[in-house]
Amino acid sequence: MKQMIPALVIISVLFYALYLSNQPKQTKSPIEKTEKMTNLKYAKHIEAHKEHHFEEELKRLRTSQYTKEYIVSVINHGSNQFNFRGGEMEGGFASPNDAAKIACYVLELSGKKCKQAHEKDAPMFYSSICAGCHGEDGKGLNGTYPDLTRKKLLGVEKREAFLKSLMAKTK
Ligand code: HEC
């Protein structure tokens, strides 16, 4: 009996291999399945839109809300896209919570408005965190720090030019 053990082991391994080779192959990995679902959802989402996303964005770009979101994003993530002598602006000078308040105050400096007037502590945050570079009045320092009271902020202007170039390509 003892001599038969190796033979039995070999036979069982062979049977197991045979069993495995007859198993239907798993056609899709979970990742492939998720990708397919996501693509499907995206396709439906695109279909539901009558116009391109960038056309919608172009319309939104003229609103104060859009400018506010841009300012908040600069405060949170910084900006390094222009050629000011001040160099780049780092993100995180203010907490995300304060960023929204400060953004409303900056809008007011340029004669625009958030839905609600800026919160009480917003000017204090602006003065202590931003004014050192952008000035108490937000007008910046010629060539060194950008003017935050421009009718259209540089970043918004740049985004608009980009979206328009996309639009020109699809026409
Ligand atoms: C250390 C100086 C400094 C401080 C402090 C600073 N910034 Fe800036 N900021 C800059 C510079 C420099 C740029 C231009 C960076 C670039 O080239 O993209 C800039 C760009 C910006 C822009 C984009 C302007 C545009 O026209 O698109 C906004 C908005 C802005 N800052 C808001 C703020 C706010 C609000 C604060 C306070 C929370 C702040 N910054 C604090 C130096 C500063």
Side-chain angles (χ1 to χ4, degrees):
M1 183 64 190
K2 260 192 181 162
Q3 296 94 313
M4 282 175 68
I5 289 175
L8 279 175
V9 169
I10 292 172
I11 288 171
S12 40
V13 167
L14 282 177
F15 269 107
Y16 185 58
L18 195 72
Y19 162 77
L20 280 186
S21 67
N22 278 334
Q23 283 293 304
K25 290 217 168 40
Q26 216 190 355
T27 44
K28 294 241 184 302
S29 74
I31 293 178
E32 277 175 292
K33 272 188 197 155
T34 318
E35 268 182 359
K36 204 174 163 195
M37 283 287 291
T38 312
N39 288 344
L40 219 84
K41 273 193 196 152
Y42 188 62
K44 276 193 189 145
H45 171 79
I46 293 283
E47 224 178 71
H49 278 276
K50 301 231 166 16
E51 54 187 359
H52 291 290
H53 277 207
F54 55 77
E55 288 174 43
E56 282 172 42
E57 193 181 332
L58 265 173
K59 281 183 198 154
R60 247 169 43 78
L61 201 126
R62 290 178 199 110
T63 63
S64 297
Q65 176 63 22
Y66 188 93
T67 305
K68 178 190 169 187
E69 285 164 21
Y70 168 65
I71 299 171
V72 167
S73 128
V74 170
I75 300 175
N76 290 334
H77 308 291
S79 176
N80 186 16
Q81 48 174 341
F82 314 112
N83 275 323
F84 286 92
R85 281 194 292 276
E88 76 177 281
M89 175 178 150
E90 280 175 52
F93 278 130
S95 74
N97 193 21
D98 298 338
K101 298 184 189 177
I102 297 172
C104 286
Y105 183 67
V106 172
L107 278 180
E108 288 177 25
L109 287 177
S110 59
K112 301 185 195 98
K113 251 199 229 135
C114 278
K115 279 195 196 111
Q116 278 144 5
H118 70 257
E119 289 185 48
K120 256 201 215 137
D121 46 2
M124 181 271 289
F125 280 122
Y126 178 84
S127 287
S128 56
I129 312 176
C130 323
C133 292
H134 294 286
E136 287 293 343
D137 57 1
K139 291 199 183 303
L141 199 63
N142 232 347
T144 306
Y145 297 114
D147 176 359
L148 302 181
T149 64
R150 289 168 56 97
K151 201 158 172 234
K152 219 180 256 166
L153 289 174
L154 295 172
V156 175
E157 216 166 52
K158 197 167 166 182
R159 180 79 186 158
E160 184 174 36
F162 170 72
L163 293 171
K164 279 188 174 159
S165 76
L166 278 186
M167 207 146 114
K169 274 186 201 148
T170 55
K171 282 213 167 122

